[in-house]
Amino acid sequence: MKTSQNTASQQSSVFSGESLLLLALKMRTFIALFLILAFFTFMVPGFLAASSVVIMVKHIAINAFLALGITFVIITAGIDLSIGAILGFCGMVAGWLITKGIVLPMFGIAIFPSVWLVVPIVLVIGGLIGAINGILITRYNVAPFICTLGTMYIVRGASMLLSGGETFTGLSGNEQLGNTGFELIGSAKLLGLPYAIWMMFILAGVIAYIAKRTQFGRHVFAIGDNEHSAELSGVKVRSVKVWVYTISGFCAAIAGIVVSSQLVASHPATGVSFEMNAIAAVVLGGTSLAGGRGTIMGTLIGAFVIGILADGLVMMGVSEFWQMVIKGVVIILAVIIDQKQSRLQHKAAIVQQK
Amino acid sequence: MSQANADVVIRAEKISMIYPGTIALNEVDYRVYRGKVNVIIGENGAGKSTLMKILAGVQQPSKGTIYLNDEAVSFQHTRDAAAKGIGMVHQELNLFGNLTVAENIFLGREKQHGLMPLDTAEQHRVTAELMARLDQDIAPSELLSNLKVGQQQLIEIAKALADEADVLILDEPTSALSKTEVELLFKVIRDLTAQGVSIIYISHRLEELMAIGDHITILRDGHFQSEAEVKDIDVPWIVREMLGSDPVSNFLKPGREFGKPVLDVKNIKLINEMGLTLVDDVSMDVKSGEIVGVYGLMGAGRTELMECLLGLQEYSGEVEIAGHKVPAKMDTSDRIRYGICLVPEDRKKNGIFPISSVSNNMTISSLWRRLKHRFSIDDKAEAEAVTSAIGDLSIKVSSPDIEIRALSGGNQQKVVIGRTLLTSPKVLLLDEPTRGIDIGAKGDVFEMMVKLSEQGIGVLFSTSDLKEIMAVSDRILVMSGGKLTANIARSEATESALVSASAQGL
């Protein structure tokens, strides 16, 4: 399209004003993180002391595992409500394997697998539950919201059934059975930082790599952007979707292991409504629930914002009821800003193109 | 030029529309003559849609005045325009399949007062009157989904007439219609002009404009270009005014040579869930270096045939791609690796990934070709491939990282074509590749098809435009009702033979 000289100069001035705003909007999660940090540093003495930061990040890590796992699901325009329940169930399975072992009644024995075996078994179970979600959604055309709502109840019920609603305690294992060491996942440190924090950053790195650098990652974004086009372009939509839910289940299993290890106990109601915090972190991080748009870095920062907000308010002594209200307001604000950004971004792209 | 004569219904003076960064309309003067078919034409981006949106009250102009019957008016909303008797029928039908004809016509302005129930009888009476005016035998209580597309188009017109429209804007009304349906529409248009209704008619199909138009206005690059009586001009004149040069009508050099078949299809049959046979026992082939055009009306089974070839439908029959037998169960991604690729018909719905970058749009089908260690995407190779494709296809884009929805239709189409080319196809399927793009971009698409065929790619494309099919096909297939009704070399093809083959069995 031809535009004359004087419109070109007009557009560059319009563009620079809006591009600054656009940049601010794009960086909004960073800015929000910074503002929240500044606010609490000012309001709460000793907020940035090393010990309290480590505790905060440990809390954040649990939500981050879930949020990182569900990011791909949300980028494909799906949703996974079952991750909180999977977290609880996986913790229960780990607890069962350590305290009761695999009972073989015909031989009258119980096998107690070592922690090195318990962890992979639990991860696989988490992944499998996710895969079942994926298969139900793709094969039988169940809407993701309904499907994962269903599995949420099923899985939660199953974890209650595992113990009859009781808590498995004493997950540190038994020297004689050779299954000690589970609690180390939650308590041991490397270079002064708990394992959980390292695991969070490693998982974020791996997921970001998949998103950016692999075929699979591109396919995930493509499906969220336009599923019809993806199919015609040779994307194996069904199989990619099954994998996306598998990853979500797998990450929930990691969170389940870390939580029960930190508590050295597993309770069947652990993780109730955790999926909501995870979704909030993802949305706060700029991933669109309509699919096709999102970043892993954003999700990680989103998890930090939610976590710091929650712990900071506690330290300030704000009542739990007000915390809920504030969290809700922040989430809605985030989505409004996201809408604004996507509109501005579209406009900027058109201006740039002309 | 500017006599305020009584025959002019709408006079728009110095209309400008300025968007941030671009001027869509630049001081355009436009006149609509009473009781005439006023054709408006221009390339995509020339500003005709913007002008129409302004007349219909969808948008407000940045500058300029509109005079309706010599009285200055300004429309803040489509309702204002409708109240003054200006109605618009958009290119996409805005109808509801599970409502009746009468309910569709009165949607949003139902005959109802206070808490009284709907006055269905009155609605039906008015609908019946409208149908009589359009000379249609359609019952007001008929479900809309039972009507053919052409009839649905007339319901849209009836909707505008129900508002007592005096000026009717038709935006590409024939793009989804078959030849008989087009004739029906033309008859309705002539009846309406005889009743004193002024029509503004937008279309890309020049023959149609010559057939139906009385008065023609040409826009170019947001400016008023020229205005004439249709009886005084001819098609080359229109194209010259639009583009500034004579178009090429035959794209093929003589003495073209073809190799072995790259696509061999035997007895393909597709039956849908409702038991309708959509593709009926089609056998055909495409040779390396050959361009085969599939002509047919809407619903002739062209799209469905291509979907079968790509493995998107469960069909029966044999398909061979570049000498490889392809099992019917094989999925799309494996077929693409064998060398078949499709540029789909509906770009918005099936073609682009709107909020993804041009680069990602282009490489999504061929990521497997550029992997490091068979795993991670090779950024450098990807950037090179994208840059060379943008150059080869002369895509106008400021950066490959821009979102594709910011591009014009023709450029979006080129990106989709680029996507298929990056897979190194042996057979390229193009389903209505020129739909909704302007003449200039059409020529580019045709030239590209010829270039690809010269590289040895077999090209199979479909169109419902006779001129197009004659311009670029080595061989012409005609489909009608799912059956293949003709398979003729272009040198032997006549337009009348193609038309009669396309109507066989209807």
Side-chain angles (χ1 to χ4, degrees):
Chain A
M1 219 119 306
K2 291 162 218 146
T3 39
S4 65
Q5 282 301 318
N6 90 55
T7 57
S9 64
Q10 253 176 18
Q11 85 195 32
S12 70
S13 66
V14 174
F15 184 52
S16 65
E18 279 193 345
S19 72
L20 265 182
L21 179 58
L22 187 60
L23 188 69
L25 285 175
K26 273 187 180 164
M27 305 285 289
R28 67 182 182 279
T29 353
F30 265 118
I31 296 170
L33 183 63
F34 181 77
L35 287 178
I36 287 178
L37 272 177
F39 176 75
F40 285 122
T41 314
F42 184 70
M43 296 300 289
V44 183
F47 184 74
L48 284 184
S51 59
S52 81
V53 168
V54 168
I55 292 172
M56 242 179 331
V57 180
K58 251 172 97 176
H59 291 162
I60 290 167
I62 305 298
N63 189 25
F65 291 134
L66 296 175
L68 289 168
I70 203 183
T71 303
F72 278 155
V73 172
I74 293 180
I75 291 175
T76 64
I79 195 82
D80 189 347
L81 300 179
S82 65
I83 47 175
I86 296 177
L87 179 153
F89 183 74
C90 286
M92 289 304 284
V93 173
W96 172 285
L97 288 175
I98 288 166
T99 55
K100 300 205 166 165
I102 302 167
V103 185
L104 302 171
M106 54 285 203
F107 303 118
I109 55 164
I111 301 170
F112 288 87
S114 87
V115 172
W116 291 105
L117 207 55
V118 169
V119 170
I121 291 175
V122 172
L123 292 179
V124 167
I125 289 176
L128 278 178
I129 299 173
I132 292 172
N133 272 331
I135 289 167
L136 288 172
I137 288 164
T138 54
R139 193 76 38 188
Y140 300 101
N141 245 342
V142 190
F145 187 94
I146 301 299
C147 175
T148 56
L149 183 69
T151 43
M152 176 183 99
Y153 283 120
I154 296 170
V155 172
R156 180 66 68 194
S159 36
M160 297 286 180
L161 289 170
L162 267 186
S163 66
E166 299 294 313
T167 305
F168 290 123
T169 50
L171 297 194
S172 40
N174 187 329
E175 200 82 50
Q176 278 140 357
L177 296 172
N179 61 355
T180 53
F182 186 71
E183 81 281 6
L184 288 178
I185 301 171
S187 60
K189 291 183 175 182
L190 180 68
L191 303 176
L193 286 182
Y195 279 179
I197 296 179
W198 287 110
M199 283 162 64
M200 170 180 75
F201 286 118
I202 292 170
L203 186 72
V206 170
I207 301 249
Y209 180 86
I210 295 175
K212 277 267 176 231
R213 307 293 308 240
T214 66
Q215 253 186 302
F216 177 82
R218 290 283 177 84
H219 288 174
V220 167
F221 281 89
I223 290 173
D225 199 342
N226 186 343
E227 205 172 316
H228 291 282
S229 299
E231 192 126 16
L232 282 169
S233 304
V235 174
K236 295 182 177 173
V237 173
R238 284 185 171 188
S239 106
V240 170
K241 277 193 176 174
V242 171
W243 274 109
V244 156
Y245 286 92
T246 308
I247 291 172
S248 172
F250 180 86
C251 291
I254 297 178
I257 290 169
V258 171
V259 171
S260 49
S261 161
Q262 282 176 348
L263 301 172
V264 205
S266 47
H267 180 64
T270 308
V272 170
S273 87
F274 276 25
E275 61 275 359
M276 291 307 161
N277 274 334
I279 294 169
V282 174
V283 172
L284 216 52
T287 297
S288 153
L289 284 173
R293 195 198 297 277
T295 63
I296 306 303
M297 189 64 184
T299 295
L300 197 59
I301 298 174
F304 268 85
V305 171
I306 293 224
I308 292 173
L309 193 64
D311 284 7
L313 290 173
V314 172
M315 287 193 234
M316 266 178 73
V318 175
S319 91
E320 198 187 333
F321 308 141
W322 275 111
Q323 286 177 36
M324 283 195 229
V325 173
I326 293 169
K327 199 155 84 184
V329 169
V330 167
I331 291 168
I332 290 174
L333 271 178
V335 178
I336 292 173
I337 294 172
D338 184 58
Q339 289 295 329
K340 177 93 181 143
Q341 181 205 338
S342 85
R343 228 171 303 145
L344 263 183
Q345 206 167 331
H346 182 43
K347 228 163 144 188
I350 288 178
V351 171
Q352 203 185 337
Q353 174 60 23
K354 291 286 172 180
Chain B
M1 280 288 278
S2 60
Q3 76 270 42
N5 102 34
D7 279 328
V8 176
V9 181
I10 299 179
R11 190 156 47 87
E13 274 184 7
K14 300 217 182 308
I15 297 284
S16 293
M17 187 72 206
I18 299 164
Y19 292 111
T22 183
I23 296 188
L25 287 176
N26 197 351
E27 305 211 332
V28 169
D29 293 324
Y30 180 56
R31 275 180 295 278
V32 178
Y33 294 88
R34 192 188 311 279
K36 301 278 188 221
V37 179
N38 298 268
V39 166
I40 181 160
I41 189 165
E43 284 197 282
N44 280 356
K48 44 185 198 313
S49 318
T50 312
L51 182 58
M52 291 308 119
K53 281 182 186 159
I54 289 171
L55 291 186
V58 179
Q59 288 177 332
Q60 286 71 49
S62 317
K63 266 182 248 157
T65 329
I66 302 169
Y67 297 92
L68 182 67
N69 295 320
D70 282 332
E71 170 198 351
V73 286
S74 94
F75 304 133
Q76 295 309 313
H77 195 273
T78 46
R79 256 178 254 131
D80 301 345
K84 298 272 188 185
I86 300 178
M88 181 157 180
V89 176
H90 292 272
Q91 191 174 356
E92 288 89 20
L93 298 176
N94 296 310
L95 296 169
F96 301 86
N98 47 7
L99 297 183
T100 67
V101 169
E103 280 165 345
N104 265 291
I105 288 176
F106 284 94
L107 196 73
R109 47 181 178 208
E110 285 81 0
K111 297 269 178 207
Q112 191 238 1
H113 299 283
L115 294 173
M116 299 285 286
L118 277 177
D119 190 352
T120 314
E122 172 66 7
Q123 289 193 13
H124 280 201
R125 189 188 62 73
V126 177
T127 306
E129 262 174 29
L130 287 169
M131 289 303 124
R133 200 170 155 196
L134 295 174
D135 201 13
Q136 291 300 305
D137 188 20
I138 300 172
S141 55
E142 185 73 66
L143 266 190
L144 188 97
S145 53
N146 294 342
L147 303 184
K148 294 195 195 101
V149 185
Q151 291 175 314
Q152 294 186 8
Q153 185 88 58
L154 295 178
I155 301 302
E156 278 282 9
I157 293 176
K159 240 165 88 177
L161 291 178
D163 260 350
E164 285 164 12
D166 203 19
V167 179
L168 197 57
I169 305 172
L170 304 177
D171 188 4
E172 299 225 29
T174 55
S175 57
L177 302 189
S178 71
K179 195 141 183 94
T180 44
E181 287 171 332
V182 169
E183 272 156 23
L184 181 69
L185 177 71
F186 282 5
K187 191 179 158 296
V188 169
I189 289 177
R190 285 196 195 97
D191 288 351
L192 290 175
T193 49
Q195 292 162 22
V197 177
S198 315
I199 307 274
I200 302 176
Y201 190 99
I202 308 171
S203 176
H204 283 302
R205 301 184 182 180
L206 301 182
E207 316 89 90
E208 266 175 33
L209 304 185
M210 297 303 289
I212 190 75
D214 296 314
H215 205 89
I216 186 163
T217 307
I218 297 175
L219 297 184
R220 195 205 287 180
D221 286 339
H223 291 270
F224 172 85
Q225 175 66 28
S226 49
E227 177 175 43
E229 296 282 320
V230 170
K231 62 180 187 313
D232 301 335
I233 55 154
D234 56 5
V235 170
W237 181 86
I238 299 179
V239 177
R240 247 191 337 269
E241 290 294 314
M242 269 173 69
L243 301 175
S245 68
D246 275 314
V248 195
S249 58
N250 188 354
F251 289 81
L252 299 177
K253 295 192 194 90
R256 285 163 55 84
E257 285 176 9
F258 318 126
K260 291 197 181 115
V262 283
L263 176 69
D264 198 355
V265 175
K266 288 199 183 76
N267 310 104
I268 285 231
K269 197 160 192 169
L270 172 67
I271 299 171
N272 73 359
E273 300 105 355
M274 285 147 71
L276 288 172
T277 309
L278 298 176
V279 178
D280 196 355
D281 209 18
V282 169
S283 302
M284 53 120 188
D285 67 345
V286 178
K287 296 182 190 70
S288 150
E290 187 183 30
I291 301 180
V292 178
V294 186
Y295 176 72
L297 305 172
M298 296 277 295
R302 294 168 299 162
T303 301
E304 289 76 8
L305 174 65
M306 291 195 178
E307 285 177 353
C308 289
L309 296 178
L310 209 68
L312 297 163
Q313 302 271 10
E314 283 181 29
Y315 62 90
S316 65
E318 288 173 34
V319 176
E320 225 176 77
I321 300 167
H324 299 278
K325 276 226 163 11
V326 174
K329 288 263 175 264
M330 184 187 274
D331 66 23
T332 311
S333 67
D334 291 331
R335 284 173 196 243
I336 289 176
R337 292 186 189 212
Y338 269 168
I340 193 166
C341 225
L342 171 72
V343 176
E345 175 182 11
D346 190 334
R347 188 176 54 241
K348 276 216 181 95
K349 202 169 132 223
N350 298 324
I352 60 167
F353 300 97
I355 59 174
S356 298
S357 68
V358 166
S359 161
N360 284 357
N361 262 284
M362 232 185 233
T363 54
I364 187 75
S365 285
S366 54
L367 293 169
W368 49 277
R369 300 179 67 88
R370 284 179 295 278
L371 294 181
K372 269 193 276 191
H373 320 296
R374 325 187 83 204
F375 187 67
S376 72
I377 293 168
D378 186 344
D379 284 344
K380 233 179 96 198
E382 183 176 30
E384 276 167 22
V386 169
T387 315
S388 80
I390 287 177
D392 286 349
L393 298 168
S394 53
I395 299 170
K396 279 187 219 158
V397 57
S398 51
S399 143
D401 298 324
I402 212 163
E403 284 180 10
I404 192 173
R405 60 178 174 164
L407 272 59
S408 70
N411 280 317
Q412 288 182 5
Q413 184 73 319
K414 286 183 189 173
V415 172
V416 177
I417 293 172
R419 177 196 303 157
T420 62
L421 296 186
L422 289 181
T423 67
S424 302
K426 306 219 169 49
V427 195
L428 182 59
L429 311 179
L430 300 126
D431 195 4
E432 297 261 13
T434 57
R435 187 173 145 188
I437 63 178
D438 61 67
I439 290 202
K442 271 185 194 177
D444 286 354
V445 168
F446 290 153
E447 265 162 28
M448 191 212 60
M449 282 162 59
V450 174
K451 210 164 98 192
L452 294 174
S453 71
E454 281 162 0
Q455 292 164 14
I457 297 175
V459 177
L460 182 73
F461 83 104
S462 77
T463 177
S464 44
D465 189 317
L466 269 178
K467 291 254 162 14
E468 281 183 10
I469 205 139
M470 297 294 282
V472 270
S473 323
D474 291 307
R475 193 149 50 86
I476 297 171
L477 308 177
V478 182
M479 285 187 77
S480 172
K483 285 197 184 67
L484 201 61
T485 51
N487 184 348
I488 341 170
R490 186 184 70 128
S491 48
E492 289 147 32
T494 60
E495 297 197 1
S496 58
L498 297 181
V499 169
S500 63
S502 73
Q504 254 179 52
L506 286 182

